[in-house]
Amino acid sequence: MTETSLKRSFACAALFLAFTGTALAEPLTVVSSGGFAAAYKKLVAEWQKQPDHEVNSQWGPSMGATKNAIPQRLDRKEPIDVVIMVGDALDKLMATGQLVPGSKVVLADSTIACAVPQGAPRPDIGTVDKLRQTLLNARTVAWSDSASGEYIEREMLPKLGIAEQMRGKGRKIPATPVGEIIASKEADFGCQQRSELLPVHGIDIVGDLPADVQYVTEFSAAVVASSPRRDEATRFLRFLATPENAEVIRSTGLVPMTKGGTR
């Protein structure tokens, strides 16, 4: 072998090693919806303390037509390894073959709570009648364009008998957390997953919806079918759902799934 050929071989080998090393070091790409975001941020920080556990964390709603919505991103075939989202919406993606069959892991349940701007009078929403009156008294009411907001608009307001009265004052908020709309006083009352309201500064949470009109949302995770890192993605899901992480999840306003499938 000539000296030139030898140098070329060494260069190719170095290039190959650099390429494969980079490929092996590629982070796991995870997209989480807002309802699990606070818990996820705490848990992923622990996961990444281990060598080779790098994660590229991204965010997007579980449903809807906004650009970052998880179904839209999967339709565009973005390189995603794991999704964390509302269970019903995840099941629909599983049925279309976009997620690995059998990879679903239920992580937590979430209730809907309501809030007002910080320092504003706190209305009593402890009963269905008091919630109805609070909604009617509010000048502007905000809810999300994801699971909690869909429920409020399609089911709760009709059940309360005030769907027509709310048409002029109700605002469905795409992409932006409802709490931020309340904090900026663009709405004087609003409701969303408790776990999404808790991290927002500038609001006061007045309470959960009454039991008779409460809607509990399941948050689950699964491996994306197109992921080239299925084994690592599966290990990550097992870590998120381990019983040792239950209190971290609970601290963010969620009801964690614990060992044996109980909550």
Side-chain angles (χ1 to χ4, degrees):
M1 181 179 289
T2 65
E3 183 177 349
T4 300
S5 299
L6 190 60
K7 288 181 178 178
R8 186 179 296 114
S9 297
F10 282 140
C12 289
L15 182 62
F16 173 78
L17 289 174
F19 174 80
T20 54
T22 300
L24 289 173
E26 267 190 47
L28 198 68
T29 298
V30 180
V31 181
S32 174
S33 62
F36 197 76
Y40 170 83
K41 289 175 183 177
K42 292 183 177 183
L43 295 174
V44 79
E46 287 300 313
W47 172 262
Q48 292 188 121
K49 289 179 180 179
Q50 299 298 318
D52 302 322
H53 278 191
E54 187 178 356
V55 179
N56 172 21
S57 301
Q58 300 180 20
W59 316 101
S62 298
M63 58 192 72
T66 57
K67 180 181 179 181
N68 287 331
I70 292 173
Q72 305 295 330
R73 299 175 77 147
L74 292 180
D75 284 344
R76 291 195 300 270
K77 302 189 184 305
E78 290 189 21
I80 299 169
D81 300 300
V82 171
V83 293
I84 303 173
M85 58 194 296
V86 171
D88 290 346
L90 185 148
D91 291 340
K92 292 178 182 178
L93 295 176
M94 186 77 74
T96 65
Q98 292 175 289
L99 305 177
V100 175
S103 67
K104 177 181 177 180
V105 175
V106 180
L107 299 172
D109 283 343
S110 177
T111 57
I112 299 174
C114 301
V116 295
Q118 190 172 47
R122 300 189 183 198
D124 184 351
I125 61 169
T127 67
V128 170
D129 286 341
K130 289 176 179 178
L131 172 66
R132 180 188 295 110
Q133 197 57 53
T134 294
L135 290 167
L136 291 174
N137 289 344
R139 291 172 298 174
T140 307
V141 179
W143 54 79
S144 79
D145 69 342
S146 196
S148 61
E150 288 295 310
Y151 162 72
I152 289 169
E153 185 171 339
R154 295 173 183 265
E155 297 184 44
M156 190 187 81
L157 295 180
K159 185 175 182 178
L160 293 176
I162 58 173
E164 288 301 320
Q165 295 97 311
M166 295 301 297
R167 287 191 188 279
K169 64 172 70 177
R171 291 186 57 197
K172 180 184 283 188
I173 309 299
T176 305
V178 169
E180 293 183 12
I181 300 298
I182 299 169
S184 64
K185 298 184 179 179
E186 296 176 58
D188 54 15
F189 186 78
C191 306
Q192 195 170 21
Q193 309 290 349
R194 173 175 279 273
S195 59
E196 294 190 70
L197 292 175
L198 274 176
V200 180
H201 298 289
I203 65 172
D204 290 327
I205 298 177
V206 298
D208 282 4
L209 293 176
D212 288 346
V213 291
Q214 180 60 261
Y215 180 77
V216 178
T217 299
E218 170 196 293
F219 283 98
S220 299
V223 180
V224 177
S226 60
S227 170
R229 291 173 287 278
R230 290 191 182 187
D231 289 346
E232 183 184 354
T234 299
R235 288 193 295 272
F236 180 64
L237 294 191
R238 289 174 183 163
F239 164 77
L240 293 179
T242 187
E244 287 75 15
N245 286 329
E247 286 309 309
V248 173
I249 294 173
R250 194 184 307 279
S251 72
T252 64
L254 297 166
V255 180
M257 178 70 87
T258 57
K259 189 173 182 180
T262 58
R263 289 178 170 83

